Amino acid sequence: MKSNLTDIINNNGTVWKMPLAAALSWEAAKWAGSNHPYLAPLTAILCFQITVSQSLHFAWQRIIGTIAGVAATACIAPYIGLSGWSIGLLVLLGAAIVKRLNRDHALTVQIALSILLVLYFQSKMPSYPLDRVRDTVVGAVVAVLIHVLLFPPDSIQTAKQSMARFAERLTRQFYQTADWVRHGCPASQVKIVEDELQTMFQELHQATVETDKANQSLRYNPLASKKRTAMDELTRQMDQLRSSFANLSDMVRIFKKWAESGRFTEEDRRIWADHLNTLGSLVNGWRTMLDDPKQATFKPAEAALAIKAPSHLANDQYLLALYMNAEQVVQDFHRHVFFNKDA
């Protein structure tokens, strides 16, 4: 029961953290003497991002952008007054400085917002510039502290599930490729196989994004030392999936060329279909580690370990592989259509 309640609280962090940060930041801003306390919860709400790392990054940009925008406006506004042209001039100046310093676009936005609001409100409310800086800092600090200290986001389970789904898809693709090879790699099915690989590439990218997100979620978590060890292992497993997918893609390309050459014998098709089925079983067995946290090691089957180049090809395998990859590079660039410069 306690575990279920903890999971509910942890999985719905945005639902309760954001209003808590908004309430606390408002009260903190009022306690600090602000006449515009709404600026603190505004910043707190904006600072809540998916991961702690992203929240810290945004909070830092929000604070720096606000201070820079307020300072620039306070120094220049008395000489240029309030008009559309003065707003444009100050925003241009801020954007040019950010561009010159090679900073993020988000910082430009924060500076521009501060310039616009301070330029408009400071003549009506003299305390607005100081309140904006102070309340921005209050809101950002409250949001980050709540995000870090109270059930910090943990995306490891999501990343693991995404990897498990991709591993299952990779398993099926090995089996489907085996069936394609057994039937001689018919040209009518090449487009289907290539489309499947393209879809898998997109799924692999999504799994990589989830893994990176999980890594970021632990970066500033002071209580996640054990989870960081698990995350390192998950990252290593992600590398294995990427490598396996890349090898399968290369194998499909080679099978296609082999079939087009007319020298892909029935015996060769049988042997490689068996190999691909074995590789599919290998990936499927490896996938059980993701589903069962108690399984720390994985031992490939003897059939998988037996897949090696025949001894009579030992001297040629590397040379042939290099030529295949070199030819593919040439074909990749030769395939591009270059438009006539006079067109």
Side-chain angles (χ1 to χ4, degrees):
M1 180 66 181
K2 183 179 179 181
S3 177
N4 291 336
L5 180 61
T6 301
D7 290 340
I8 292 174
I9 294 174
N10 195 26
N11 294 333
N12 296 278
T14 305
V15 175
W16 61 269
K17 283 184 179 182
M18 192 179 294
L20 178 62
L24 291 179
S25 58
W26 174 286
E27 295 300 328
K30 285 183 64 178
W31 177 82
S34 174
N35 294 318
H36 307 85
Y38 63 87
L39 294 170
L42 173 63
T43 296
I45 291 170
L46 291 174
C47 285
F48 266 98
Q49 305 291 318
I50 296 176
T51 66
V52 172
S53 176
Q54 291 172 336
S55 294
L56 280 168
H57 186 63
F58 183 87
W60 176 251
Q61 289 181 328
R62 176 82 174 172
I63 292 172
I64 295 300
T66 298
I67 293 174
V70 170
T73 306
C75 293
I76 302 176
Y79 303 100
I80 61 176
L82 174 61
S83 68
W85 295 111
S86 62
I87 292 173
L89 177 62
L90 284 176
V91 171
L92 175 62
L93 178 62
I97 293 174
V98 174
K99 181 68 175 178
R100 180 66 178 174
L101 296 176
N102 198 27
R103 299 300 180 183
D104 291 346
H105 171 71
L107 184 59
T108 304
V109 174
Q110 297 304 322
I111 291 177
L113 285 174
S114 292
I115 289 173
L116 171 63
L117 295 174
V118 172
L119 195 59
Y120 179 78
F121 283 116
Q122 71 172 350
S123 60
K124 300 175 176 61
M125 296 174 284
S127 64
Y128 183 83
L130 177 59
D131 284 350
R132 183 169 182 84
V133 172
R134 177 176 52 204
D135 295 350
T136 294
V137 173
V138 169
V141 170
V142 170
V144 169
L145 286 178
I146 288 178
H147 215 18
V148 171
L149 300 179
L150 300 182
F151 296 93
D154 181 2
S155 304
I156 288 183
Q157 194 59 35
T158 303
K160 187 175 292 188
Q161 291 171 354
S162 181
M163 287 175 58
R165 286 194 299 270
F166 182 79
E168 183 179 3
R169 180 67 182 271
L170 184 62
T171 299
R172 292 201 309 270
Q173 192 59 39
F174 269 111
Y175 291 149
Q176 291 170 4
T177 305
D179 186 63
W180 177 61
V181 168
R182 192 179 298 277
H183 289 87
C185 305
S188 60
Q189 296 181 14
V190 169
K191 184 69 166 57
I192 297 175
V193 174
E194 290 177 342
D195 286 347
E196 286 286 335
L197 290 175
Q198 183 60 36
T199 302
M200 286 184 65
F201 177 77
Q202 296 170 359
E203 293 176 358
L204 178 63
H205 174 71
Q206 183 58 40
T208 302
V209 169
E210 294 293 345
T211 304
D212 291 342
K213 192 186 299 180
N215 218 341
Q216 290 181 14
S217 71
L218 299 178
R219 186 172 299 171
Y220 299 99
N221 187 343
L223 306 176
S225 57
K226 292 184 179 179
K227 290 185 177 181
R228 288 193 190 95
T229 302
M231 191 65 238
D232 291 341
E233 178 63 18
L234 208 63
T235 302
R236 186 186 65 79
Q237 291 170 341
M238 189 71 242
D239 290 339
Q240 289 178 287
L241 284 176
R242 276 195 290 263
S243 178
S244 296
F245 173 74
N247 286 316
L248 174 60
S249 299
D250 283 343
M251 292 170 73
V252 166
R253 176 173 57 85
I254 294 170
F255 285 133
K256 176 186 172 184
K257 289 181 176 293
W258 198 355
E260 290 172 349
S261 72
R263 295 190 291 271
F264 198 16
T265 66
E266 185 173 348
E267 178 64 13
D268 290 327
R269 298 200 300 265
R270 183 192 64 78
I271 291 173
W272 277 103
D274 289 344
H275 284 342
L276 288 167
N277 279 320
T278 300
L279 293 175
S281 299
L282 173 72
V283 176
N284 191 46
W286 176 88
R287 183 173 61 88
T288 59
M289 287 195 307
L290 299 177
D291 298 329
D292 183 8
K294 295 180 180 179
Q295 183 178 344
T297 58
F298 169 67
K299 183 178 180 180
E302 293 296 329
L305 296 174
I307 300 179
K308 296 180 180 179
S311 57
H312 66 278
L313 295 178
N315 294 330
D316 300 325
Q317 57 180 324
Y318 305 111
L319 188 62
L320 290 174
L322 288 171
Y323 273 117
M324 284 293 295
N325 286 329
E327 288 179 15
Q328 184 60 38
V329 172
V330 174
Q331 291 179 18
D332 286 342
F333 282 95
H334 183 67
R335 197 176 296 136
H336 286 286
V337 176
F338 294 94
F339 293 98
N340 192 314
K341 293 182 180 180
D342 298 328

